């Protein structure tokens, strides 16, 4: 046998080689975030041209608060989708948790942190029950969560006593979706974030190079950090513009508070998926449950955990939705919330077939969904048209998913 | 010499179908034991019982002379038994390193220690003089059948194990790679490991094995020294369960 693994080059592959590798992967069917990013750019361009009001600071801030709840629910769905399962009850689970929050806050007069903890605990319990039914009894998740979908819809109705709504007056909860960071703090967080990212990347590359492993070249890291700094800088700048009609009376500027919340979730959950053995095992179960079992992984426990994470994040999504609406009613987490959330994850590039997905997908897809919803609203289209368009986009994303899978099978990359 | 792994009176049924009948099987350190038998004889099932994939219905499982309970793949791995399954058991969506360490990741605190795993994987593959894989960070789905086989074997030898079981490791391989795997099998045994090789190819069996165990319709027909039998006798044991005074008489080993 001739060639073995060559001693790894200390200076890793160049940017050109990285780019070539990327093109190869896309050709091979692994499109990753490409469709979502492409869609986002096209949609934003179209809406900005047709409706200049789309491109205002006020509307930009709106996009974040509008899409936040769905995005957080979608982040949870990624964990379930990774296993090749589905949670159709995530929408109404968020409704149930929001109702728990509202009852404790408004009717029981509890402090906000007790109410939020109770809502999150409710989510975790819901997830563990669903997960146990799926893993231990072997009922398909589609059926279990469809039943839960109906059941939770009823539960929300009962909790908010048929038809009425419970308003929320707690300042802290309301702030989540309705208040903004002081402009300076937005800049500080951005600078700290970018610097930390750059530092971690460089440190990692240095460590790997020191051990003779392939490391990312500094030029590639510079490109990544630069892109993050530019995009983040534009966003913060834009959000820090005054958007109040009457700034003398009330000033409206800064990054919505949900944004750092979502970024923290993104970082923590991505860390769990990418850097811990728990995350590794989730991917393994999604790729081949039998192989995972033979590697000594407790497949049932992984399933239950995934459903728990999903419902817990749905609870957080419910809190955010309650904050935005300043109230909880029987429709909280209902109508299109679940489909938007599943759509967000799939549009972002998470596969419905399991084994492939990232938390970032939920954010990219959530952005696409929010832009469609927002832009078409500005154009004056009715809800009917919005639903049809969003449905079509979801179908398109699922087709891309199925197509790339086929293509990957054909080119042997899966 | 005491066997490192010894099974006695193993029965295994799938529902109404009894696949293994009163099977005895011994594996010795420093030796290659070939496990042969026709399609459906129960070889893979026996191996999966050893590996804790299937629970045994009854019988004794001894490791280094002591009775042990093996109820899960983790138990088997804990004893130092590594198995390359016929149906490979790799995750297509993970890369080579991730597959090799699956379920036994190196960690620093709670964080995966990717660099150490990558180094160890590279070293192991190198020691098997693995044919060009472009990168050990490529997904297993992009590998050829033979390359996947090598990864599965590398995964098994990574762990300084005491028993390595290979279920038809050469079935999908070309001539050169088959020779390489057989050479590896021999090398592992010479290092003192107990190796079990399942194969339908008599030439391979006679080329590397020290002992041959022949299963016939779920019963152990005979376990003999390779030097004591001929090709023809082994073929007879495989196809009819007996050969001269070797093998089963009325379903009972001689
Ligand atoms: N999970 C299972 N459920 C039911 N029957 C099974 C199962 N696994 C194996 N069997 C049956 O057990 C018998 C032995 O199968 P096994 O796979 O052990 O044969 P083998 O000796 O490995 O054959 P081959 O040489 O074709 O690999 C077959 O009749 C098979 O149908
Ligand atoms: Mg077999």
């Amino acid at each position: 046998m001739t060639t073995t693994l060559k001693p790894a080059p200390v200076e890793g592959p160049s940017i050109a080689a990285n780019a070539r590798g990327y093109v190869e992967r896309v050709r091979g069917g692994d499109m990753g975030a490409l469709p979502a990013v492409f869609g986002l750019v096209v949609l934003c361009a179209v809406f900005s041209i047709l409706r200049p009001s789309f491109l205002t600071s006020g509307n930009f801030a709106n996009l974040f608060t509008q899409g936040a709840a769905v995005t957080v629910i979608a982040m949870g769905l990624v964990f379930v989708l990774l296993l090749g399962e589905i949670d159709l009850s995530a929408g109404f689970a968020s409704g149930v948790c929001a109702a728990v929050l509202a009852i404790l806050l408004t009717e029981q007069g509890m402090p906000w942190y007790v109410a939020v903890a109770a809502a999150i605990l409710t989510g975790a319990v819901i997830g563990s029950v669903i997960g146990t039914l799926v893993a231990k009894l072997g009922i398909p998740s589609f059926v279990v969560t469809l039943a839960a979908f109906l059941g939770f819809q009823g539960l929300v109705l009962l909790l908010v006593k048929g038809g009425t709504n419970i308003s929320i007056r707690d300042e802290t909860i309301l702030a989540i979706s309705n208040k903004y960071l002081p402009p300076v703090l937005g800049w500080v967080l951005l600078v700290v974030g970018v610097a930390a990212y750059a530092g971690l990347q460089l440190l990692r590359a240095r460590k790997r190079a020191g051990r003779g492993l392939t490391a990312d070249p500094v030029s590639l890291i510079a490109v990544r950090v630069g892109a993050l700094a530019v995009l983040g800088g534009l966003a913060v700048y834009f959000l820090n513009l005054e958007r109040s009609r009457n700034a003398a009376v009330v000033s409206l500027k800064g990054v919505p508070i949900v944004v750092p919340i979502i970024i923290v979730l993104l970082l923590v959950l991505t860390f769990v998926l990418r850097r811990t053995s728990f995350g590794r095992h989730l991917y393994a179960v999604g790729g081949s449950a039998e192989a995972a079992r033979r590697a000594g992984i407790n497949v049932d426990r992984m399933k239950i955990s995934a459903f728990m994470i999903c419902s817990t994040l749905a609870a957080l999504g419910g809190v955010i939705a309650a904050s935005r609406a300043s109230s909880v009613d029987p429709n909280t987490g209902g109508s299109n919330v679940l489909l938007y959330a599943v759509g967000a994850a799939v549009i972002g590039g998470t596969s419905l077939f399991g084994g492939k997905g990232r938390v970032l997908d939920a954010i990219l897809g959530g952005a696409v969904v929010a832009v469609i919803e927002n832009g078409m609203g500005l154009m004056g289209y009715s809800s009917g048209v919005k639903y049809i368009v969003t449905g079509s986009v979801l179908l398109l994303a699922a087709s891309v998913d199925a197509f790339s899978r086929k293509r990957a099978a054909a080119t042997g990359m899966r | 010499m005491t066997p490192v792994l010894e099974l006695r009176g193993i029965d295994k049924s799938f529902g109404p179908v009894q696949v293994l009948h009163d099977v005895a099987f011994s594996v010795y350190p420093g030796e290659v034991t070939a496990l042969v038998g026709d399609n459906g004889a129960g070889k893979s099932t026996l191996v999966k019982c050893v590996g804790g994939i299937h629970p045994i219905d009854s019988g004794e499982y001894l490791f280094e002379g002591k009775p042990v309970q093996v109820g899960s793949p983790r138990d088997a791995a804990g004893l130092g038994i590594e198995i390359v399954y016929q149906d490979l058991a790799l995750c297509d969506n993970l890369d080579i390193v991730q597959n090799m360490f699956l379920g036994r990741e190196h960690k620093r605190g709670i964080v995966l220690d990717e660099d150490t795993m990558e180094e160890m994987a590279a070293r192991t593959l190198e020691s098997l003089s693995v044919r060009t894989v472009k990168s050990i960070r490529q997904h297993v789905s992009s590998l050829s059948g033979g390359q996947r086989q090598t990864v599965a074997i590398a995964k098994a030898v990574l762990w300084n194990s005491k028993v390595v079981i290979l279920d038809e490791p050469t079935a999908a391989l070309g001539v050169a790679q088959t020779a390489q795997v057989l050479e590896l099998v021999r090398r592992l045994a010479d290092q003192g490991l107990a190796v079990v090789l399942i194969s339908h190819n008599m030439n391979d069996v006679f080329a590397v094995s020290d002992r041959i165990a022949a299963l016939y319709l779920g019963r152990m027909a005979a376990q003999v020294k390779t030097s004591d039998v001929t090709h023809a006798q082994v073929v007879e044991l495989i196809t009819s369960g007996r050969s001269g005074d070797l093998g089963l008489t009325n379903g009972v080993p001689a």
Side-chain angles (χ1 to χ4, degrees):
Chain A
M1 288 309 108
T2 47
T3 331
T4 58
L5 294 158
K6 293 180 204 77
V10 174
E11 174 69 1
S14 65
I15 289 194
N18 266 295
R20 265 200 307 279
Y22 181 71
V23 170
E24 232 170 70
R25 280 205 303 282
V26 170
R27 283 241 186 102
D30 179 11
M31 301 210 231
L34 204 57
V37 171
F38 180 73
L40 211 50
V41 170
V42 170
L43 284 168
C44 287
V46 169
F47 286 133
S48 316
I49 293 165
L50 295 180
R51 278 288 174 281
S53 59
F54 178 82
L55 212 58
T56 58
S57 176
N59 194 50
F60 193 49
N62 237 341
L63 269 176
F64 286 99
T65 48
Q66 210 170 11
V70 161
T71 300
V72 172
I73 297 172
M75 285 172 154
L77 276 164
V78 166
F79 284 75
V80 168
L81 291 173
L82 264 183
L83 298 187
E85 307 279 354
I86 183 87
D87 184 355
L88 299 175
S89 69
F92 276 116
S94 79
V96 169
C97 300
V100 168
L101 174 92
I103 289 171
L104 290 182
L105 278 181
T106 307
E107 295 183 358
Q108 310 287 327
M110 299 267 190
W112 66 271
Y113 45 88
V114 175
V116 170
I120 287 175
L121 186 68
T122 308
V125 170
I126 288 173
S128 64
V129 172
I130 293 175
T132 306
L133 289 173
V134 172
K136 298 291 182 193
L137 294 188
I139 314 173
S141 57
F142 173 76
V143 178
V144 174
T145 60
L146 191 60
F149 170 86
L150 272 176
F152 293 157
Q153 187 166 14
L155 192 55
V156 181
L157 262 176
L158 294 178
L159 284 173
V160 298
K161 317 242 164 33
T164 57
N165 74 15
I166 308 175
S167 61
I168 288 175
R169 286 178 292 271
D170 183 274
E171 286 299 326
T172 315
I173 298 297
L174 288 179
I176 297 173
S177 296
N178 301 297
K179 287 283 192 307
Y180 310 94
L181 296 181
V184 181
L185 188 55
W187 285 116
V188 170
L189 288 181
L190 177 73
V191 171
V192 170
V194 171
Y197 178 71
L200 282 176
Q201 292 261 311
L202 285 172
L203 204 69
R204 195 174 119 80
R206 175 111 64 80
K207 232 176 61 194
R208 286 181 60 87
R211 298 176 75 158
L213 300 166
T214 40
D216 289 336
V218 176
S219 47
L220 181 69
I221 295 176
V223 169
R224 285 201 204 119
V225 172
L228 181 70
V230 168
L231 286 177
L234 279 175
V236 172
Y237 168 76
F238 216 46
L239 289 169
N240 278 349
L241 294 177
E242 181 60 58
R243 47 183 174 267
S244 169
R245 293 226 174 72
N246 196 342
V249 180
V250 53
S251 170
L252 269 187
K253 57 185 175 183
V255 177
I257 288 176
V258 282
V259 172
I261 293 180
I262 288 185
I263 290 175
V264 167
L265 283 176
L266 169 71
L267 294 178
V268 170
L269 296 175
T270 301
F271 173 82
V272 168
L273 277 186
R274 289 279 166 206
R275 296 271 171 260
T276 68
S277 50
F278 174 81
R280 180 67 40 83
H281 296 174
L282 270 179
Y283 281 99
V285 173
S288 163
E290 180 59 20
R293 191 171 82 87
R294 289 185 193 174
I297 295 168
N298 186 335
V299 174
D300 287 356
R301 205 176 59 201
M302 297 309 296
K303 280 192 185 167
I304 295 172
S305 322
F307 279 99
M308 278 179 76
I309 291 172
C310 181
S311 300
T312 305
L313 283 164
L316 273 181
V319 173
I320 294 172
S323 164
R324 180 170 153 78
S326 313
S327 70
V328 173
D329 63 44
N331 218 12
T332 303
S335 70
N336 48 19
V337 169
L338 172 80
L339 289 182
Y340 278 8
V342 174
V346 175
I347 290 168
T350 294
S351 173
L352 288 165
F353 302 100
K356 177 169 160 264
R358 297 172 308 171
V359 181
L360 182 63
D361 295 345
I363 294 184
L364 291 172
V368 171
V369 171
V371 166
I372 294 176
E373 165 106 353
N374 174 290
M376 297 197 57
L378 289 178
M379 311 249 316
Y381 285 111
S382 67
S383 294
V385 179
K386 276 197 275 184
Y387 285 1
I388 292 175
V389 170
T390 314
S392 312
V393 171
L394 172 56
L395 192 61
L396 188 68
S399 321
V400 169
D401 179 22
F403 171 77
S404 56
R405 207 177 136 85
K406 252 182 148 169
R407 168 124 195 145
T411 54
M413 295 192 48
R414 207 198 90 134
Chain B
M1 185 165 44
T2 47
V4 53
L5 169 71
E6 186 176 6
L7 303 177
R8 291 185 198 148
I10 300 291
D11 288 326
K12 174 70 197 167
S13 304
F14 292 109
V17 190
Q18 188 166 358
V19 176
L20 297 178
H21 303 259
D22 193 25
V23 169
F25 184 48
S26 301
V27 180
Y28 297 87
E31 290 194 355
V32 177
T33 305
L35 180 59
V36 297
D38 247 336
N39 291 127
K43 304 182 296 294
S44 297
T45 306
L46 181 62
V47 163
K48 285 179 181 168
C49 288
V50 171
I53 304 276
H54 296 321
I56 53 178
D57 296 343
S58 61
E60 282 181 275
Y61 189 133
L62 296 116
F63 194 81
E64 295 180 326
K66 287 184 279 293
V68 287
Q69 294 294 327
V70 175
S72 73
R74 219 168 254 272
D75 294 343
L79 290 172
I81 301 173
E82 289 297 324
I83 302 181
V84 178
Y85 293 100
Q86 190 170 13
D87 40 349
L88 284 172
L90 297 174
C91 288
D92 272 346
N93 61 334
L94 299 183
D95 67 34
I96 295 177
V97 181
Q98 291 170 340
N99 264 294
M100 285 175 66
F101 284 87
L102 189 58
R104 291 179 276 190
E105 291 84 2
H106 276 257
K107 282 178 280 192
R108 242 180 299 145
I110 58 163
V111 187
L112 293 173
D113 187 355
E114 298 284 357
D115 296 351
T116 302
M117 291 194 276
E118 199 170 318
E119 275 176 0
M120 288 177 69
R123 228 180 297 132
T124 307
L125 286 168
E126 210 159 349
S127 76
L128 303 185
S129 43
V130 165
R131 280 204 161 195
T132 45
V133 286
K134 235 188 319 178
S135 149
I136 56 175
R137 282 299 182 184
Q138 74 191 110
H139 280 190
V140 160
S141 55
S142 66
L143 299 179
S144 77
Q147 289 173 323
R148 294 166 64 96
Q149 188 72 58
T150 328
V151 170
I153 295 175
K155 181 181 179 182
V157 301
L158 184 63
W159 298 101
N160 291 324
S161 32
K162 295 177 178 150
V163 179
V164 173
I165 304 179
L166 305 155
D167 194 349
E168 300 197 28
T170 58
L173 300 188
V175 180
Q177 270 171 322
T178 299
Q180 196 190 345
V181 168
L182 292 179
E183 193 187 306
L184 168 67
V185 163
R186 196 59 253 175
R187 191 145 26 102
L188 291 176
D190 293 343
Q191 287 167 12
L193 274 74
V195 185
V196 176
L197 175 72
I198 298 180
S199 176
H200 288 289
N201 184 319
M202 283 309 118
N203 291 328
D204 294 355
V205 167
F206 275 87
V208 295
S209 74
D210 303 291
R211 273 168 215 272
I212 298 177
L215 270 179
Y216 177 71
L217 297 180
R219 294 172 202 276
M220 188 56 78
Q223 189 162 358
V224 293
K225 281 227 155 91
T226 308
S227 50
D228 295 345
V229 288
T230 63
H231 268 58
Q233 278 177 306
V234 175
V235 171
E236 243 185 308
L237 282 171
I238 291 171
T239 51
S240 65
R242 57 174 298 114
S243 164
D245 49 359
L246 281 175
L248 300 160
T249 334
N250 301 325
V252 182

